[in-house]
Amino acid sequence: MRNAALLAAVSFVFVGCATMDVPQAYRGRMFDRSGPLTIAKTGQGFIGPVLNPGTYSVGYYNEVMTVDCSTVTQHDPLTVLTKDGVQFGLDMYVRFSANCSDDSVREMLASLTPDKDTSITTRKLFETYVRPTIQAVVREAMQGYPQHGLEV
């Protein structure tokens, strides 16, 4: 009886007390992985609904992966060529935030690797989605003008 109570207490400490936070301005999802204490069970990957900010009980082998949904301003210097081959340096400031609807969060967590612990930061989102789009649009717009057409 004493051994059973000790085993139950130890199990509760390892499995029942583990929690993770989803901070304000973040959304997340539970990620189920396997470990040596699981018997005949493998990790299932992402499980359950998209989580809002709060504290969640995760168990011993689960963790919460998150996406940063805050609005940030990012500086991005860019070099472009004009129609006649003159190089211009531009300082771009972009204000953006992630689309944190449930479907978008599911898609981002499935396609991007977290870059800070278990979180996909705004920096990762900027480098993956925003920067390539801005560079393509600005280069496309600038290549049609000669140097004298850009002077102010």
Side-chain angles (χ1 to χ4, degrees), residues 74-131:
Q74 188 77 40
H75 174 249
D76 189 30
L78 181 63
T79 303
V80 295
L81 294 175
T82 62
K83 184 177 184 178
D84 50 357
V86 176
Q87 199 172 39
F88 272 88
L90 301 172
D91 276 337
M92 304 282 297
Y93 288 89
V94 181
R95 188 165 177 82
F96 71 97
S97 65
N99 175 3
C100 282
S101 66
D102 289 356
D103 291 337
S104 294
V105 169
R106 282 187 198 96
E107 183 180 328
M108 285 185 278
L109 288 170
S111 61
L112 297 175
T113 305
D115 59 329
K116 183 181 177 190
D117 299 324
T118 60
S119 183
I120 297 171
T121 64
T122 54
R123 184 75 182 157
K124 176 83 166 194
L125 296 171
F126 178 79
E127 291 170 356
T128 304
Y129 297 115
V130 178
R131 178 181 281 151

Side-chain angles (χ1 to χ4, degrees), residues 3-149:
N3 288 341
L6 180 61
L7 180 62
V10 169
S11 297
F12 181 74
V13 167
F14 282 112
V15 177
C17 293
T19 61
M20 286 190 77
D21 291 328
V22 176
Q24 292 297 318
Y26 282 71
R27 302 275 318 270
R29 239 177 132 200
M30 192 78 66
F31 188 80
D32 179 33
R33 56 191 175 101
S34 64
L37 294 180
T38 58
I39 299 172
K41 180 185 174 219
T42 59
Q44 299 173 358
F46 288 108
I47 56 173
V50 174
L51 306 173
N52 291 317
T55 301
Y56 297 91
S57 177
V58 294
Y60 190 66
Y61 288 113
N62 297 337
E63 53 192 5
V64 175
M65 302 290 192
T66 58
V67 176
D68 187 349
C69 298
S70 61
T71 301
V72 295
T73 302
Q74 188 77 40
H75 174 249
D76 189 30
L78 181 63
T79 303
V80 295
L81 294 175
T82 62
K83 184 177 184 178
D84 50 357
V86 176
Q87 199 172 39
F88 272 88
L90 301 172
D91 276 337
M92 304 282 297
Y93 288 89
V94 181
R95 188 165 177 82
F96 71 97
S97 65
N99 175 3
C100 282
S101 66
D102 289 356
D103 291 337
S104 294
V105 169
R106 282 187 198 96
E107 183 180 328
M108 285 185 278
L109 288 170
S111 61
L112 297 175
T113 305
D115 59 329
K116 183 181 177 190
D117 299 324
T118 60
S119 183
I120 297 171
T121 64
T122 54
R123 184 75 182 157
K124 176 83 166 194
L125 296 171
F126 178 79
E127 291 170 356
T128 304
Y129 297 115
V130 178
R131 178 181 281 151
T133 303
I134 298 238
Q135 288 176 343
V137 168
V138 170
R139 286 191 175 120
E140 182 73 24
M142 296 293 285
Q143 72 182 359
Y145 294 99
Q147 173 192 6
H148 62 80

